[in-house]
Short mmCIF file of all heavy atoms in Angstrom, two decimals:
data_model
loop_
_atom_site.label_atom_id
_atom_site.label_comp_id
_atom_site.label_asym_id
_atom_site.label_seq_id
_atom_site.Cartn_x
_atom_site.Cartn_y
_atom_site.Cartn_z
N MET A 1 0.86 -1.18 0.00
CA MET A 1 0.00 0.00 0.00
C MET A 1 0.90 1.24 0.00
O MET A 1 1.87 1.31 0.74
CB MET A 1 -0.89 -0.01 1.24
CG MET A 1 -1.96 1.00 1.20
SD MET A 1 -3.17 0.58 2.47
CE MET A 1 -3.77 2.16 2.82
N HIS A 2 0.56 2.20 -0.79
CA HIS A 2 1.38 3.41 -0.91
C HIS A 2 0.66 4.61 -0.30
O HIS A 2 -0.55 4.58 -0.09
CB HIS A 2 1.75 3.67 -2.36
CG HIS A 2 0.56 3.97 -3.23
ND1 HIS A 2 -0.38 3.03 -3.54
CD2 HIS A 2 0.18 5.11 -3.84
CE1 HIS A 2 -1.31 3.60 -4.31
NE2 HIS A 2 -0.99 4.86 -4.50
N ALA A 3 1.42 5.66 -0.04
CA ALA A 3 0.86 6.87 0.55
C ALA A 3 -0.03 7.58 -0.47
O ALA A 3 0.21 7.52 -1.67
CB ALA A 3 2.00 7.80 0.96
N PRO A 4 -1.09 8.25 0.02
CA PRO A 4 -1.98 8.96 -0.90
C PRO A 4 -1.26 10.13 -1.56
O PRO A 4 -0.43 10.79 -0.96
CB PRO A 4 -3.11 9.45 0.00
CG PRO A 4 -2.57 9.43 1.38
CD PRO A 4 -1.52 8.37 1.41
N SER A 5 -1.61 10.37 -2.81
CA SER A 5 -0.99 11.47 -3.54
C SER A 5 -1.62 12.79 -3.12
O SER A 5 -2.63 12.84 -2.44
CB SER A 5 -1.17 11.27 -5.04
OG SER A 5 -2.53 11.41 -5.38
N ILE A 6 -1.03 13.87 -3.56
CA ILE A 6 -1.55 15.21 -3.25
C ILE A 6 -2.94 15.40 -3.83
O ILE A 6 -3.79 16.04 -3.24
CB ILE A 6 -0.56 16.31 -3.72
CG1 ILE A 6 -1.00 17.70 -3.24
CG2 ILE A 6 -0.44 16.32 -5.23
CD1 ILE A 6 -0.84 17.91 -1.77
N TRP A 7 -3.18 14.78 -5.01
CA TRP A 7 -4.50 14.91 -5.64
C TRP A 7 -5.57 14.19 -4.83
O TRP A 7 -6.69 14.68 -4.69
CB TRP A 7 -4.46 14.41 -7.08
CG TRP A 7 -3.60 15.28 -7.93
CD1 TRP A 7 -2.40 14.94 -8.49
CD2 TRP A 7 -3.84 16.64 -8.30
NE1 TRP A 7 -1.88 16.01 -9.16
CE2 TRP A 7 -2.75 17.07 -9.06
CE3 TRP A 7 -4.88 17.54 -8.03
CZ2 TRP A 7 -2.66 18.35 -9.57
CZ3 TRP A 7 -4.78 18.82 -8.55
CH2 TRP A 7 -3.69 19.21 -9.32
N GLY A 8 -5.23 13.06 -4.29
CA GLY A 8 -6.19 12.33 -3.45
C GLY A 8 -6.55 13.11 -2.20
O GLY A 8 -7.71 13.18 -1.79
N ILE A 9 -5.54 13.72 -1.60
CA ILE A 9 -5.77 14.53 -0.39
C ILE A 9 -6.63 15.75 -0.73
O ILE A 9 -7.56 16.09 0.01
CB ILE A 9 -4.42 14.95 0.23
CG1 ILE A 9 -3.69 13.72 0.74
CG2 ILE A 9 -4.63 15.96 1.34
CD1 ILE A 9 -2.27 14.00 1.19
N LEU A 10 -6.36 16.39 -1.86
CA LEU A 10 -7.16 17.55 -2.27
C LEU A 10 -8.61 17.18 -2.54
O LEU A 10 -9.53 17.91 -2.17
CB LEU A 10 -6.54 18.21 -3.51
CG LEU A 10 -5.26 19.00 -3.27
CD1 LEU A 10 -4.69 19.50 -4.59
CD2 LEU A 10 -5.52 20.16 -2.33
N VAL A 11 -8.84 16.05 -3.18
CA VAL A 11 -10.22 15.61 -3.46
C VAL A 11 -10.96 15.37 -2.15
O VAL A 11 -12.11 15.81 -1.99
CB VAL A 11 -10.21 14.34 -4.35
CG1 VAL A 11 -11.59 13.71 -4.40
CG2 VAL A 11 -9.70 14.68 -5.74
N VAL A 12 -10.32 14.70 -1.21
CA VAL A 12 -10.96 14.46 0.09
C VAL A 12 -11.25 15.78 0.80
O VAL A 12 -12.33 15.97 1.37
CB VAL A 12 -10.08 13.53 0.96
CG1 VAL A 12 -10.61 13.46 2.38
CG2 VAL A 12 -10.00 12.15 0.34
N ALA A 13 -10.31 16.73 0.76
CA ALA A 13 -10.51 18.02 1.41
C ALA A 13 -11.68 18.78 0.79
O ALA A 13 -12.51 19.37 1.50
CB ALA A 13 -9.23 18.85 1.32
N VAL A 14 -11.79 18.76 -0.54
CA VAL A 14 -12.89 19.45 -1.21
C VAL A 14 -14.23 18.80 -0.85
O VAL A 14 -15.21 19.51 -0.57
CB VAL A 14 -12.67 19.45 -2.75
CG1 VAL A 14 -13.92 19.90 -3.49
CG2 VAL A 14 -11.50 20.35 -3.10
N VAL A 15 -14.28 17.49 -0.81
CA VAL A 15 -15.53 16.80 -0.45
C VAL A 15 -15.93 17.14 0.98
O VAL A 15 -17.11 17.42 1.26
CB VAL A 15 -15.37 15.27 -0.64
CG1 VAL A 15 -16.54 14.52 -0.03
CG2 VAL A 15 -15.22 14.93 -2.12
N VAL A 16 -14.98 17.16 1.90
CA VAL A 16 -15.28 17.51 3.29
C VAL A 16 -15.81 18.93 3.39
O VAL A 16 -16.79 19.20 4.09
CB VAL A 16 -14.03 17.30 4.18
CG1 VAL A 16 -14.21 17.92 5.55
CG2 VAL A 16 -13.70 15.83 4.30
N ILE A 17 -15.18 19.86 2.67
CA ILE A 17 -15.64 21.26 2.70
C ILE A 17 -17.04 21.38 2.12
O ILE A 17 -17.89 22.11 2.65
CB ILE A 17 -14.64 22.18 1.97
CG1 ILE A 17 -13.36 22.28 2.79
CG2 ILE A 17 -15.22 23.55 1.73
CD1 ILE A 17 -12.23 23.01 2.10
N LEU A 18 -17.31 20.65 1.05
CA LEU A 18 -18.65 20.70 0.45
C LEU A 18 -19.71 20.11 1.37
O LEU A 18 -20.83 20.61 1.45
CB LEU A 18 -18.66 19.97 -0.90
CG LEU A 18 -17.92 20.66 -2.04
CD1 LEU A 18 -17.91 19.76 -3.27
CD2 LEU A 18 -18.55 22.00 -2.36
N LEU A 19 -19.36 19.04 2.07
CA LEU A 19 -20.34 18.40 2.96
C LEU A 19 -20.61 19.24 4.21
O LEU A 19 -21.77 19.38 4.62
CB LEU A 19 -19.85 17.01 3.37
CG LEU A 19 -19.90 15.93 2.30
CD1 LEU A 19 -19.27 14.65 2.83
CD2 LEU A 19 -21.33 15.67 1.88
N PHE A 20 -19.57 19.74 4.83
CA PHE A 20 -19.75 20.42 6.12
C PHE A 20 -19.78 21.92 6.01
O PHE A 20 -20.33 22.58 6.89
CB PHE A 20 -18.62 20.00 7.08
CG PHE A 20 -18.67 18.55 7.45
CD1 PHE A 20 -17.72 17.68 6.97
CD2 PHE A 20 -19.67 18.05 8.26
CE1 PHE A 20 -17.75 16.34 7.30
CE2 PHE A 20 -19.72 16.73 8.60
CZ PHE A 20 -18.76 15.86 8.12
N GLY A 21 -19.18 22.50 5.02
CA GLY A 21 -19.12 23.96 4.92
C GLY A 21 -17.99 24.53 5.75
O GLY A 21 -17.55 23.93 6.73
N ARG A 22 -17.50 25.69 5.35
CA ARG A 22 -16.36 26.29 6.04
C ARG A 22 -16.69 26.68 7.47
O ARG A 22 -15.88 26.54 8.37
CB ARG A 22 -15.88 27.52 5.27
CG ARG A 22 -15.07 27.16 4.07
CD ARG A 22 -14.53 28.34 3.31
NE ARG A 22 -14.30 29.53 4.10
CZ ARG A 22 -14.42 30.75 3.65
NH1 ARG A 22 -14.79 30.97 2.41
NH2 ARG A 22 -14.16 31.78 4.42
N GLY A 23 -17.89 27.20 7.70
CA GLY A 23 -18.26 27.66 9.04
C GLY A 23 -18.29 26.53 10.05
O GLY A 23 -17.82 26.68 11.18
N LYS A 24 -18.84 25.40 9.65
CA LYS A 24 -18.95 24.28 10.56
C LYS A 24 -17.57 23.70 10.88
O LYS A 24 -17.28 23.32 12.01
CB LYS A 24 -19.84 23.20 9.96
CG LYS A 24 -20.36 22.21 10.94
CD LYS A 24 -21.45 21.37 10.32
CE LYS A 24 -22.28 20.73 11.40
NZ LYS A 24 -23.39 19.97 10.87
N ILE A 25 -16.70 23.65 9.86
CA ILE A 25 -15.35 23.12 10.08
C ILE A 25 -14.57 24.03 11.03
O ILE A 25 -13.91 23.56 11.95
CB ILE A 25 -14.61 22.94 8.75
CG1 ILE A 25 -15.25 21.81 7.95
CG2 ILE A 25 -13.13 22.65 8.97
CD1 ILE A 25 -14.71 21.64 6.56
N SER A 26 -14.66 25.35 10.83
CA SER A 26 -13.93 26.26 11.72
C SER A 26 -14.49 26.20 13.13
O SER A 26 -13.73 26.31 14.11
CB SER A 26 -13.97 27.69 11.19
OG SER A 26 -15.30 28.19 11.20
N GLY A 27 -15.80 26.00 13.27
CA GLY A 27 -16.40 25.83 14.60
C GLY A 27 -15.89 24.58 15.30
O GLY A 27 -15.59 24.59 16.50
N MET A 28 -15.78 23.49 14.52
CA MET A 28 -15.27 22.25 15.09
C MET A 28 -13.81 22.40 15.50
O MET A 28 -13.39 21.89 16.53
CB MET A 28 -15.40 21.09 14.10
CG MET A 28 -16.83 20.64 13.90
SD MET A 28 -17.07 19.14 12.93
CE MET A 28 -15.86 19.22 11.67
N MET A 29 -13.02 23.12 14.71
CA MET A 29 -11.62 23.32 15.05
C MET A 29 -11.49 24.17 16.32
O MET A 29 -10.61 23.93 17.14
CB MET A 29 -10.88 23.99 13.89
CG MET A 29 -10.79 23.11 12.67
SD MET A 29 -10.22 21.47 13.06
CE MET A 29 -8.57 21.57 12.48
N GLY A 30 -12.38 25.14 16.49
CA GLY A 30 -12.38 25.95 17.71
C GLY A 30 -12.71 25.10 18.93
O GLY A 30 -12.12 25.27 20.00
N GLU A 31 -13.65 24.17 18.78
CA GLU A 31 -14.00 23.27 19.89
C GLU A 31 -12.84 22.35 20.22
O GLU A 31 -12.57 22.08 21.40
CB GLU A 31 -15.24 22.47 19.53
CG GLU A 31 -16.50 23.30 19.46
CD GLU A 31 -17.70 22.51 18.98
OE1 GLU A 31 -17.61 21.27 18.85
OE2 GLU A 31 -18.74 23.14 18.74
N VAL A 32 -12.15 21.87 19.20
CA VAL A 32 -10.98 21.01 19.43
C VAL A 32 -9.90 21.79 20.17
O VAL A 32 -9.30 21.29 21.13
CB VAL A 32 -10.44 20.45 18.09
CG1 VAL A 32 -9.09 19.79 18.29
CG2 VAL A 32 -11.42 19.46 17.49
N ALA A 33 -9.67 23.03 19.77
CA ALA A 33 -8.65 23.86 20.42
C ALA A 33 -9.00 24.12 21.88
O ALA A 33 -8.14 24.03 22.76
CB ALA A 33 -8.49 25.18 19.68
N SER A 34 -10.27 24.41 22.17
CA SER A 34 -10.65 24.65 23.56
C SER A 34 -10.55 23.36 24.37
O SER A 34 -10.21 23.40 25.56
CB SER A 34 -12.06 25.24 23.64
OG SER A 34 -13.02 24.32 23.17
N GLY A 35 -10.83 22.23 23.76
CA GLY A 35 -10.66 20.95 24.45
C GLY A 35 -9.21 20.68 24.79
O GLY A 35 -8.89 20.20 25.88
N ILE A 36 -8.31 21.00 23.87
CA ILE A 36 -6.88 20.80 24.12
C ILE A 36 -6.41 21.72 25.23
O ILE A 36 -5.65 21.31 26.11
CB ILE A 36 -6.07 21.03 22.82
CG1 ILE A 36 -6.36 19.92 21.82
CG2 ILE A 36 -4.58 21.13 23.12
CD1 ILE A 36 -5.78 20.16 20.44
N LYS A 37 -6.88 22.97 25.23
CA LYS A 37 -6.49 23.92 26.28
C LYS A 37 -7.00 23.44 27.65
O LYS A 37 -6.28 23.52 28.64
CB LYS A 37 -7.05 25.30 25.99
CG LYS A 37 -6.33 26.01 24.87
CD LYS A 37 -6.94 27.36 24.59
CE LYS A 37 -6.30 28.01 23.38
NZ LYS A 37 -6.93 29.28 23.03
N ALA A 38 -8.23 22.93 27.70
CA ALA A 38 -8.76 22.42 28.96
C ALA A 38 -7.97 21.22 29.45
O ALA A 38 -7.70 21.08 30.64
CB ALA A 38 -10.23 22.05 28.79
N PHE A 39 -7.56 20.35 28.52
CA PHE A 39 -6.76 19.19 28.88
C PHE A 39 -5.41 19.62 29.45
O PHE A 39 -4.96 19.11 30.48
CB PHE A 39 -6.56 18.29 27.66
CG PHE A 39 -5.65 17.13 27.91
CD1 PHE A 39 -6.11 16.02 28.60
CD2 PHE A 39 -4.35 17.13 27.45
CE1 PHE A 39 -5.29 14.94 28.84
CE2 PHE A 39 -3.51 16.06 27.68
CZ PHE A 39 -3.99 14.96 28.38
N GLN A 40 -4.76 20.60 28.79
CA GLN A 40 -3.47 21.08 29.26
C GLN A 40 -3.59 21.73 30.64
O GLN A 40 -2.73 21.55 31.50
CB GLN A 40 -2.87 22.06 28.27
CG GLN A 40 -2.40 21.39 27.00
CD GLN A 40 -1.92 22.38 25.95
OE1 GLN A 40 -2.27 23.56 25.99
NE2 GLN A 40 -1.13 21.90 25.00
N LYS A 41 -4.68 22.46 30.87
CA LYS A 41 -4.90 23.09 32.18
C LYS A 41 -5.09 22.01 33.23
O LYS A 41 -4.58 22.11 34.35
CB LYS A 41 -6.12 24.00 32.13
CG LYS A 41 -6.35 24.73 33.42
CD LYS A 41 -7.55 25.64 33.36
CE LYS A 41 -7.70 26.35 34.67
NZ LYS A 41 -9.01 26.28 35.22
N GLY A 42 -5.82 20.96 32.88
CA GLY A 42 -6.01 19.86 33.82
C GLY A 42 -4.71 19.16 34.16
O GLY A 42 -4.48 18.75 35.29
N MET A 43 -3.83 19.03 33.17
CA MET A 43 -2.54 18.40 33.42
C MET A 43 -1.67 19.28 34.32
O MET A 43 -0.96 18.77 35.18
CB MET A 43 -1.80 18.13 32.10
CG MET A 43 -2.47 17.09 31.23
SD MET A 43 -2.65 15.50 32.03
CE MET A 43 -0.95 14.97 32.06
N LYS A 44 -1.76 20.60 34.17
CA LYS A 44 -1.01 21.51 35.04
C LYS A 44 -1.53 21.41 36.47
O LYS A 44 -0.76 21.44 37.42
CB LYS A 44 -1.13 22.95 34.56
CG LYS A 44 -0.26 23.29 33.39
CD LYS A 44 -0.39 24.76 33.06
CE LYS A 44 0.42 25.11 31.83
NZ LYS A 44 0.24 26.52 31.47
N ASP A 45 -2.85 21.31 36.63
CA ASP A 45 -3.44 21.22 37.96
C ASP A 45 -3.01 19.94 38.66
O ASP A 45 -2.90 19.91 39.88
CB ASP A 45 -4.97 21.30 37.88
CG ASP A 45 -5.46 22.67 37.47
OD1 ASP A 45 -4.66 23.64 37.56
OD2 ASP A 45 -6.63 22.79 37.08
N ASP A 46 -2.78 18.87 37.92
CA ASP A 46 -2.34 17.61 38.51
C ASP A 46 -0.93 17.72 39.07
O ASP A 46 -0.57 16.97 39.98
CB ASP A 46 -2.39 16.47 37.49
CG ASP A 46 -3.80 16.00 37.22
OD1 ASP A 46 -4.70 16.38 37.99
OD2 ASP A 46 -4.00 15.26 36.25
N ASP A 47 -0.11 18.62 38.56
CA ASP A 47 1.26 18.78 39.02
C ASP A 47 1.36 19.51 40.35
O ASP A 47 2.37 19.43 41.03
CB ASP A 47 2.09 19.52 37.97
CG ASP A 47 2.30 18.69 36.72
OD1 ASP A 47 2.11 17.47 36.80
OD2 ASP A 47 2.64 19.27 35.68
N LYS A 48 0.30 20.23 40.73
CA LYS A 48 0.33 20.97 41.98
C LYS A 48 0.30 20.00 43.16
O LYS A 48 -0.39 18.98 43.11
CB LYS A 48 -0.87 21.92 42.07
CG LYS A 48 -0.82 23.05 41.07
CD LYS A 48 -2.01 23.93 41.21
CE LYS A 48 -1.98 25.03 40.17
NZ LYS A 48 -3.19 25.84 40.21
N PRO A 49 1.03 20.30 44.24
CA PRO A 49 1.00 19.40 45.40
C PRO A 49 -0.37 19.43 46.07
O PRO A 49 -1.01 20.47 46.16
CB PRO A 49 2.08 19.96 46.32
CG PRO A 49 2.27 21.37 45.89
CD PRO A 49 1.92 21.42 44.42
N VAL A 50 -0.77 18.28 46.52
CA VAL A 50 -2.07 18.14 47.17
C VAL A 50 -1.87 18.33 48.67
O VAL A 50 -0.93 17.79 49.26
CB VAL A 50 -2.67 16.76 46.87
CG1 VAL A 50 -4.01 16.59 47.55
CG2 VAL A 50 -2.80 16.56 45.38
N GLU A 51 -2.77 19.07 49.29
CA GLU A 51 -2.69 19.26 50.74
C GLU A 51 -2.98 17.94 51.43
O GLU A 51 -3.86 17.19 51.03
CB GLU A 51 -3.69 20.31 51.20
CG GLU A 51 -3.37 21.71 50.74
CD GLU A 51 -4.37 22.71 51.27
OE1 GLU A 51 -5.04 22.42 52.28
OE2 GLU A 51 -4.48 23.78 50.67
N ARG A 52 -2.25 17.67 52.49
CA ARG A 52 -2.43 16.42 53.22
C ARG A 52 -3.63 16.57 54.15
O ARG A 52 -3.74 17.54 54.90
CB ARG A 52 -1.18 16.11 54.03
CG ARG A 52 -1.22 14.73 54.62
CD ARG A 52 0.16 14.37 55.15
NE ARG A 52 0.21 13.01 55.58
CZ ARG A 52 -0.30 12.56 56.72
NH1 ARG A 52 -0.91 13.39 57.53
NH2 ARG A 52 -0.20 11.29 57.05
N VAL A 53 -4.50 15.59 54.12
CA VAL A 53 -5.68 15.60 54.96
C VAL A 53 -5.40 14.75 56.19
O VAL A 53 -4.93 13.62 56.09
CB VAL A 53 -6.91 15.03 54.19
CG1 VAL A 53 -8.12 14.99 55.09
CG2 VAL A 53 -7.16 15.84 52.94
N THR A 54 -5.68 15.31 57.35
CA THR A 54 -5.46 14.59 58.60
C THR A 54 -6.68 13.73 58.88
O THR A 54 -7.81 14.21 58.91
CB THR A 54 -5.24 15.58 59.75
OG1 THR A 54 -4.19 16.47 59.39
CG2 THR A 54 -4.89 14.87 61.03
N THR A 55 -6.44 12.44 59.11
CA THR A 55 -7.56 11.53 59.38
C THR A 55 -7.93 11.59 60.85
O THR A 55 -7.18 12.07 61.70
CB THR A 55 -7.18 10.08 59.01
OG1 THR A 55 -6.09 9.68 59.84
CG2 THR A 55 -6.80 9.97 57.55
N THR A 56 -9.09 11.08 61.16
CA THR A 56 -9.57 11.05 62.54
C THR A 56 -8.63 10.21 63.41
O THR A 56 -8.36 10.58 64.55
CB THR A 56 -10.99 10.46 62.59
OG1 THR A 56 -11.81 11.19 61.67
CG2 THR A 56 -11.58 10.54 63.97
N ALA A 57 -8.12 9.12 62.86
CA ALA A 57 -7.22 8.25 63.63
C ALA A 57 -5.94 9.00 64.00
O ALA A 57 -5.43 8.85 65.12
CB ALA A 57 -6.89 7.00 62.84
N GLU A 58 -5.43 9.82 63.09
CA GLU A 58 -4.22 10.58 63.39
C GLU A 58 -4.47 11.61 64.48
O GLU A 58 -3.64 11.82 65.37
CB GLU A 58 -3.69 11.27 62.13
CG GLU A 58 -3.13 10.32 61.10
CD GLU A 58 -2.77 11.01 59.80
OE1 GLU A 58 -3.38 12.03 59.46
OE2 GLU A 58 -1.87 10.50 59.14
N VAL A 59 -5.63 12.26 64.42
CA VAL A 59 -5.98 13.25 65.44
C VAL A 59 -6.09 12.58 66.80
O VAL A 59 -5.57 13.06 67.80
CB VAL A 59 -7.29 13.98 65.06
CG1 VAL A 59 -7.76 14.86 66.21
CG2 VAL A 59 -7.09 14.81 63.80
N GLU A 60 -6.76 11.43 66.85
CA GLU A 60 -6.92 10.72 68.12
C GLU A 60 -5.57 10.25 68.66
O GLU A 60 -5.33 10.30 69.86
CB GLU A 60 -7.86 9.52 67.93
CG GLU A 60 -9.29 9.94 67.68
CD GLU A 60 -10.19 8.77 67.32
OE1 GLU A 60 -9.69 7.64 67.14
OE2 GLU A 60 -11.41 8.99 67.22
N THR A 61 -4.67 9.82 67.78
CA THR A 61 -3.34 9.39 68.20
C THR A 61 -2.58 10.55 68.82
O THR A 61 -1.94 10.40 69.88
CB THR A 61 -2.55 8.80 67.02
OG1 THR A 61 -3.29 7.75 66.43
CG2 THR A 61 -1.20 8.30 67.43
N ARG A 62 -2.65 11.69 68.20
CA ARG A 62 -1.97 12.88 68.71
C ARG A 62 -2.52 13.27 70.10
O ARG A 62 -1.79 13.65 71.00
CB ARG A 62 -2.10 14.04 67.75
CG ARG A 62 -1.26 13.90 66.51
CD ARG A 62 -1.38 15.11 65.63
NE ARG A 62 -0.83 14.84 64.30
CZ ARG A 62 -1.16 15.49 63.23
NH1 ARG A 62 -2.06 16.46 63.29
NH2 ARG A 62 -0.61 15.20 62.06
N GLU A 63 -3.85 13.20 70.25
CA GLU A 63 -4.47 13.57 71.50
C GLU A 63 -4.05 12.63 72.62
O GLU A 63 -3.79 13.06 73.74
CB GLU A 63 -5.98 13.60 71.35
CG GLU A 63 -6.47 14.76 70.51
CD GLU A 63 -7.98 14.73 70.28
OE1 GLU A 63 -8.65 13.77 70.73
OE2 GLU A 63 -8.50 15.66 69.65
N THR A 64 -3.99 11.33 72.32
CA THR A 64 -3.58 10.38 73.36
C THR A 64 -2.10 10.54 73.70
O THR A 64 -1.72 10.37 74.85
CB THR A 64 -3.85 8.93 72.91
OG1 THR A 64 -3.20 8.68 71.67
CG2 THR A 64 -5.33 8.67 72.78
N GLU A 65 -1.26 10.92 72.72
CA GLU A 65 0.15 11.16 73.00
C GLU A 65 0.32 12.37 73.89
O GLU A 65 1.17 12.39 74.78
CB GLU A 65 0.93 11.35 71.69
CG GLU A 65 1.12 10.08 70.89
CD GLU A 65 1.79 10.33 69.56
OE1 GLU A 65 1.95 11.52 69.16
OE2 GLU A 65 2.11 9.35 68.87
N ARG A 66 -0.49 13.38 73.71
CA ARG A 66 -0.41 14.59 74.52
C ARG A 66 -0.85 14.29 75.96
O ARG A 66 -0.31 14.84 76.91
CB ARG A 66 -1.27 15.70 73.93
CG ARG A 66 -0.71 16.29 72.67
CD ARG A 66 -1.56 17.40 72.14
NE ARG A 66 -1.10 17.81 70.82
CZ ARG A 66 -1.84 18.41 69.92
NH1 ARG A 66 -3.11 18.67 70.19
NH2 ARG A 66 -1.34 18.73 68.77
N LYS A 67 -1.85 13.44 76.10
CA LYS A 67 -2.35 13.11 77.45
C LYS A 67 -1.31 12.28 78.21
O LYS A 67 -1.21 12.37 79.42
CB LYS A 67 -3.66 12.33 77.34
CG LYS A 67 -4.81 13.18 76.87
CD LYS A 67 -6.07 12.36 76.75
CE LYS A 67 -7.20 13.20 76.17
NZ LYS A 67 -8.40 12.38 75.94
N ASP A 68 -0.56 11.45 77.48
CA ASP A 68 0.43 10.59 78.12
C ASP A 68 1.63 11.39 78.62
O ASP A 68 2.31 10.98 79.54
CB ASP A 68 0.92 9.50 77.15
CG ASP A 68 -0.18 8.50 76.82
OD1 ASP A 68 -1.14 8.41 77.60
OD2 ASP A 68 -0.05 7.79 75.79
N VAL A 69 1.88 12.53 78.04
CA VAL A 69 3.08 13.31 78.41
C VAL A 69 2.88 14.10 79.63
O VAL A 69 2.21 14.33 80.40
CB VAL A 69 3.49 14.26 77.25
CG1 VAL A 69 4.64 15.15 77.66
CG2 VAL A 69 3.84 13.44 76.04
#
């Protein structure tokens, strides 16, 4: 199997433009771009350190240690 020629790619591009229209394609590209930006923002948020949550068992352990001293 060989790679598609430039003419094949152009025919497919023209058919897609005729089917969907320029406005719809540009709208879809804008949605894709906003989705990529949201994904990148989510990945940045994952890199931030998470605050440690103190469990009830840890609090009770600390309280009993203080009473013992």
Side-chain angles (χ1 to χ4, degrees):
M1 191 165 152
H2 64 292
S5 68
I6 187 71
W7 294 111
I9 294 172
L10 287 175
V11 168
V12 171
V14 168
V15 169
V16 168
I17 290 173
L18 289 175
L19 287 175
F20 294 110
R22 283 182 28 212
K24 198 168 200 177
I25 291 174
S26 65
M28 288 188 322
M29 294 311 256
E31 291 175 8
V32 169
S34 65
I36 291 171
K37 287 178 185 176
F39 175 77
Q40 289 174 339
K41 183 180 181 230
M43 294 301 290
K44 282 184 183 177
D45 290 343
D46 285 347
D47 292 342
K48 292 180 182 175
V50 179
E51 291 182 22
R52 189 168 187 284
V53 178
T54 306
T55 63
T56 307
E58 291 173 332
V59 171
E60 291 173 353
T61 305
R62 287 183 193 156
E63 289 176 357
T64 55
E65 288 175 351
R66 288 182 188 157
K67 290 179 185 175
D68 292 340
V69 175

